[in-house]
Amino acid sequence: MFGRIASRLASSVSRRAALAAGAATGAAAFAYVAEAKATSIDVNQAIAYPTILDVVGYPAPPKDVLGDLSKLDAQPVNPKGTVYLVEVRGGLDKRADGLGHRSDSIPICNAVIAEGYKCIPVFYSDATYDKIETLLKEADGVIVRVNPGVVDGVTNSKLDGLLRNINKAGIPCMAQPDVQLRMGAKDSLVSIRNLACGMPDTYAYYEIPEMYKTFPETIKDGPRVMKQNRGSQGEGIWICKRADGQYGAPITDNTVLDLMEAVDNHKEQKTVKEFMKFCEQYIIGENGQIVDQRFLPRIVEGEVRCLNIFDETVELIHKKPAEGGLSATLGSGATYTTYTPDAPEFKNLIDAFYADKPNIMASFHLPDEPFPLIWTADFITGPKDANGMDTFFVGEFNCSCVGISKQLYLCPRVAKAVGRVVEGARAKRN
């Protein structure tokens, strides 16, 4: 239907030129909207469609995978390539200012367009699987902006399978599901334990007996942090200390632990046995696991989030907990301060992080995969080194649809990274 409408409206070369230039006002656009009113095409979408239809030599994506494109810029007439940004309809990450999209989706697309690529946001659903697959197979790159969670009409495993297949075909998905799974899971901290940013005494429990065997030994000798795999706001992250403070002394099932949950800094007491029984819930179920990591007491000074675009660290955010607390979430009262990567107080962190970067993806057994397009690493301050400099250790990675709606000024850098990934993949295919 779109092709027929476009061909009727674009009957002259002059009109095609006007539409290709993104002329969404004037007689041509009003004629287009008038035609759209006689069909089921949304008027706001119709104003934008001339920039992406076959009037400029592009195939028209099916209407049911498109949303409101009224803020999408005109596409280049001779693009360097085609990039699709994949989203899903609905979910907690959508805001009114995004017109049904994530707030940062259209700005990212417009930045990629400014780099010379055709870039269109499309909505995946199980019902449109075949249509999305057809589009992605012809793409040069795919930006994945799907927030983990339950969304009506979307089976996560089905979408993940599609993206894996596209990625295996040499079309880079940024980031593909295996990267998100291995880097975003809490046991990524085990994968990096031999890097400078990791701690060697970090363990993961995938089976309940493993926890019952190892946790009593780790908590015997010092405070620990137990982290469930699910959640991102501190829920299920427990700071564990011996109530008697007698580290190194024998421990039993009845040894009492002082516990604090990071989500809201509330405190509890349980015996070792009671706490392990409580933690069984975190191991049961799909992707269930617990990571057991050494507690770093300087967490009271906060965390330093490194915001990364591809292989470049672009911003540091110091997240300082509320007085007397340990949680660095905004909901718990933490305050956030932004720094540039060249801030002298974090030179030691940046130097060590860049030294580790060539080995990070290999540590996840993904040596041939590029870094995620947008990702974060949260560092906790450790003890000072022999030269009196602060050390820093990663407490968490996040690469599952990290938002930049409050940092839209970074979109051009995201777009340049997209270009690097697309051209790198193209070079490999050739």
Side-chain angles (χ1 to χ4, degrees):
M1 181 177 68
F2 283 112
R4 292 196 297 273
I5 292 172
S7 63
R8 291 200 299 270
L9 292 174
S11 58
S12 69
V13 174
S14 60
R15 178 167 294 180
R16 286 197 297 270
L19 292 174
T25 59
F30 285 121
Y32 192 87
V33 172
E35 178 77 15
K37 286 181 177 179
T39 71
S40 60
I41 305 171
D42 181 86
V43 173
N44 283 334
Q45 296 175 15
I47 293 173
Y49 280 154
T51 68
I52 64 173
L53 286 176
D54 42 16
V55 293
V56 289
Y58 300 151
K63 178 179 181 296
D64 53 357
V65 305
L66 296 171
D68 187 332
L69 303 180
S70 58
K71 293 186 178 180
L72 186 70
D73 289 346
Q75 305 288 332
V77 176
N78 297 303
K80 297 177 182 177
T82 297
V83 176
Y84 287 106
L85 185 147
V86 176
E87 303 179 275
V88 296
R89 298 185 193 275
L92 299 177
D93 57 342
K94 306 303 188 297
R95 300 289 184 270
D97 60 351
L99 302 175
H101 303 274
R102 287 175 54 89
S103 298
D104 51 13
S105 291
I106 296 294
I108 289 173
C109 286
N110 286 340
V112 175
I113 290 168
E115 283 294 306
Y117 294 88
K118 180 178 80 168
C119 189
I120 304 170
V122 294
F123 287 106
Y124 169 87
S125 69
D126 293 346
T128 59
Y129 180 102
D130 292 342
K131 295 176 181 179
I132 293 292
E133 181 182 40
T134 298
L135 291 174
L136 301 191
K137 281 183 175 179
E138 299 301 320
D140 295 287
V142 179
I143 302 170
V144 183
R145 301 297 284 166
V146 179
N147 206 38
V150 177
V151 177
D152 289 343
V154 175
T155 303
N156 290 326
S157 60
K158 194 169 184 177
L159 173 58
D160 287 350
L162 169 60
L163 295 174
R164 283 191 181 97
N165 290 338
I166 295 298
N167 197 73
K168 287 177 182 176
I171 301 165
C173 293
M174 301 168 265
Q176 64 106 331
D178 289 331
V179 172
Q180 295 190 41
L181 181 63
R182 297 189 193 182
M183 194 172 189
K186 294 295 190 295
D187 63 353
S188 61
L189 303 177
V190 178
S191 299
I192 63 162
R193 63 184 175 185
N194 294 319
L195 300 182
C197 62
M199 291 186 282
D201 55 339
T202 302
Y203 306 94
Y205 308 135
Y206 306 100
E207 302 290 341
I208 290 171
E210 291 179 292
M211 174 179 64
Y212 277 83
K213 177 182 178 181
T214 305
F215 176 68
E217 291 300 313
T218 62
I219 190 65
K220 176 174 72 73
D221 293 324
R224 306 293 293 183
V225 182
M226 293 280 274
K227 304 180 179 185
Q228 69 151 325
N229 193 38
R230 309 173 187 93
S232 60
Q233 296 298 311
E235 62 272 28
I237 297 179
W238 294 92
I239 294 123
C240 312
K241 300 180 179 180
R242 292 182 63 154
D244 61 13
Q246 301 299 309
Y247 294 109
I251 201 167
T252 70
D253 285 347
N254 296 320
T255 300
V256 176
L257 301 178
D258 288 332
L259 307 167
M260 177 186 289
E261 190 175 16
V263 67
D264 58 7
N265 297 322
H266 85 274
K267 297 179 180 180
E268 300 182 20
Q269 276 196 338
K270 294 183 187 295
T271 65
V272 169
K273 185 176 182 179
E274 290 170 340
F275 180 62
M276 289 191 293
K277 182 67 176 177
F278 172 81
C279 287
E280 288 182 10
Q281 64 180 306
Y282 302 138
I283 298 176
I284 296 170
E286 185 179 4
N287 296 323
Q289 61 178 259
I290 300 177
V291 167
D292 176 2
Q293 189 177 42
R294 188 193 331 154
F295 174 70
L296 296 172
R298 293 183 68 186
I299 186 65
V300 296
E301 301 173 24
E303 300 175 0
V304 180
R305 169 162 290 182
C306 289
L307 175 61
N308 307 281
I309 296 174
F310 191 42
D311 58 359
E312 182 183 12
T313 300
V314 298
E315 203 166 86
L316 305 178
I317 303 99
H318 182 219
K319 305 188 293 183
K320 183 172 176 56
E323 188 67 30
L326 296 176
S327 174
T329 63
L330 286 172
S332 66
T335 56
Y336 288 15
T337 305
T338 301
Y339 295 84
T340 57
D342 59 356
E345 52 265 64
F346 299 115
K347 183 179 185 304
N348 211 33
L349 185 160
I350 291 295
D351 288 350
F353 191 30
Y354 269 84
D356 273 343
K357 280 185 180 181
N359 302 309
I360 286 178
M361 296 310 294
S363 73
F364 302 130
H365 306 290
L366 296 167
D368 297 324
E369 287 292 334
F371 282 108
L373 185 60
I374 307 173
W375 58 288
T376 62
D378 290 345
F379 284 83
I380 303 168
T381 308
K384 293 186 181 295
D385 63 18
N387 298 318
M389 299 290 290
D390 288 334
T391 57
F392 297 89
F393 300 95
V394 171
E396 184 175 37
F397 290 108
N398 184 8
C399 65
S400 298
C401 208
V402 174
I404 56 169
S405 59
K406 295 182 180 179
Q407 298 139 306
L408 295 180
Y409 52 84
L410 294 174
C411 287
R413 298 176 81 163
V414 172
K416 289 186 182 300
V418 169
R420 289 178 59 197
V421 174
V422 166
E423 298 309 322
R426 182 177 287 160
K428 283 185 178 181
R429 291 197 301 269
N430 295 335

